[in-house]
Amino acid sequence: LSVFNILTTLKLGPADNENQTAGVIFLVQPDGKGAIVFEFNKFKQYRVKQLVGAYYKFLSGDNEGQGWVKSSTLAGKNDYNEIDIRVELPQVDIYLNGKFLQSFDVIDYEPGTWAS
């Protein structure tokens, strides 16, 4: 599949861990050395990162902030966030709670296959 859409809702649950995040991992490559991660935290921040081999490259924010970007589009910590990821390789568009958030290209990734 080189064209697909992921639509889900997630919320952060009660946790003792200050660094709790929730998110979606997609475009996982067959060799396990590539994937895209979209995640958010209780501080109303999100980030997008790409697994490259054994390391992550931030596709949002900067290295100093570990890719985190503040966004008023994120719901409160006890509310659901609707995540809509639209893929038409190489382009990926991310919408959060009905609002466009970020677009980026993923080069040299193999399309996935359908598994039921």
Side-chain angles (χ1 to χ4, degrees), residues 23-73:
V24 178
I25 300 172
F26 60 102
L27 288 173
V28 178
Q29 295 300 285
D31 63 4
K33 295 181 180 179
I36 304 294
V37 178
F38 171 80
E39 61 186 329
F40 62 93
N41 63 29
K42 71 178 190 175
F43 304 109
K44 289 195 162 198
Q45 297 172 313
Y46 77 90
R47 73 177 165 190
V48 181
K49 56 188 182 180
Q50 179 179 5
L51 179 62
V52 180
Y55 301 96
Y56 281 108
K57 170 184 164 187
F58 298 114
L59 302 178
S60 61
D62 56 33
N63 287 337
E64 187 175 300
Q66 295 183 324
W68 291 109
V69 176
K70 190 88 168 157
S71 176
S72 61
T73 304

Side-chain angles (χ1 to χ4, degrees), residues 3-7 83-87 93 95:
V3 177
F4 61 91
N5 188 64
I6 299 170
L7 181 61
I83 301 164
D84 184 2
I85 300 169
R86 301 174 189 179
V87 177
D93 298 324
Y95 292 80

